[in-house]
Amino acid sequence: MAVLTTLGVPDNTGNTTTIMPKLQYRFRVTFIGAGFSATPTRSVVSAGRPTLTHDPITLEAYNSRIYLAGKHTWGEVAIIIRDDVDSAVMKEINQQMNRQVDHANQSSSRSGSGYKFTVKVETLDGASPTPGVLDTYELSGCYIQGVTYGELSYATNDSITMTVTLKYDNAEIYDAAGTATLTGITPAQNTSNASGG
């Protein structure tokens, strides 16, 4: 398949080999924490990956403005899960919701450690039964911000799904070797100038 080496965009060394992309349908989501089993993993339909934004800080300066990165925010992650006939996934999601707030008894956990959990979103290479992991997004300090139990309709053949929206404290991103590629990297030691120059 030598032709594959000629279809890419030439880089600054003249290399035109096309790089294999990761595929969206090769992934695995694992819920880690008290009350979770492997059942939700087998019922996941789709999963978002984290988003990270920084609030801007504006320094008014002579004739201009300087912008700095302020506090960051990890965006919510939505996971769509099939609702199975045994309601096994629904039970685990509802048990987690009850750990957060027991609505029937109007009671809640004393602290976040009583209900927070971890979620791993892994991109896989397609092998089976032991796939290789291409990257891992590990969301820590998770809780369920919201859950939508789906809808029913006489006019469709679709399965019932639930949408679980996660809020989390931090995300660590690892490559195939398990090396952190975002969290854990030591920031560059720049000068004390606000502009970075």
Side-chain angles (χ1 to χ4, degrees):
M1 300 296 291
V3 68
L4 295 179
T5 64
T6 64
L7 297 181
V9 177
D11 60 21
N12 56 5
T13 67
N15 189 344
T16 58
T17 301
T18 303
I19 300 174
M20 176 66 186
K22 299 171 185 175
L23 301 178
Q24 288 191 23
Y25 59 84
R26 295 176 176 174
F27 72 98
R28 174 174 59 201
V29 178
T30 307
F31 294 77
I32 304 169
F36 284 113
S37 69
T39 300
T41 297
R42 299 195 301 269
S43 299
V44 169
V45 175
S46 66
R49 299 211 287 187
T51 58
L52 177 62
T53 58
H54 283 270
D55 295 335
I57 298 175
T58 304
L59 300 181
E60 299 292 345
Y62 183 65
N63 287 334
S64 187
R65 295 183 179 89
I66 298 171
Y67 299 99
L68 302 176
K71 289 185 176 182
H72 67 275
T73 300
W74 289 102
E76 294 81 8
V77 165
I79 300 176
I80 298 177
I81 307 175
R82 282 187 295 270
D83 188 7
D84 60 278
V85 294
D86 293 323
S87 297
V89 174
M90 180 188 291
K91 289 176 185 176
E92 293 194 20
I93 296 301
N94 288 345
Q95 287 170 0
Q96 171 61 32
M97 297 296 286
N98 283 332
R99 281 190 289 272
Q100 295 174 192
V101 177
D102 183 344
H103 294 278
N105 297 304
Q106 289 297 290
S107 176
S108 61
S109 295
R110 182 175 181 176
S111 66
S113 63
Y115 59 82
K116 288 195 172 185
F117 57 96
T118 299
V119 169
K120 282 187 178 181
V121 180
E122 298 169 299
T123 307
L124 307 178
D125 64 3
S128 183
T130 307
V133 177
L134 303 178
D135 62 47
T136 302
Y137 290 74
E138 184 170 317
L139 315 182
S140 57
C142 297
Y143 72 92
I144 297 178
Q145 185 183 49
V147 58
T148 301
Y149 293 101
E151 60 183 27
L152 307 175
S153 173
Y154 288 119
T156 180
N157 294 313
D158 297 338
S159 58
I160 299 173
T161 59
M162 300 182 295
T163 301
V164 177
T165 303
L166 303 178
K167 192 71 177 175
Y168 50 99
D169 297 327
N170 190 42
E172 294 184 86
I173 304 172
Y174 300 93
D175 61 15
T179 303
T181 61
L182 180 62
T183 304
I185 296 177
T186 303
Q189 299 298 316
N190 293 326
T191 66
S192 59
N193 293 342
S195 63

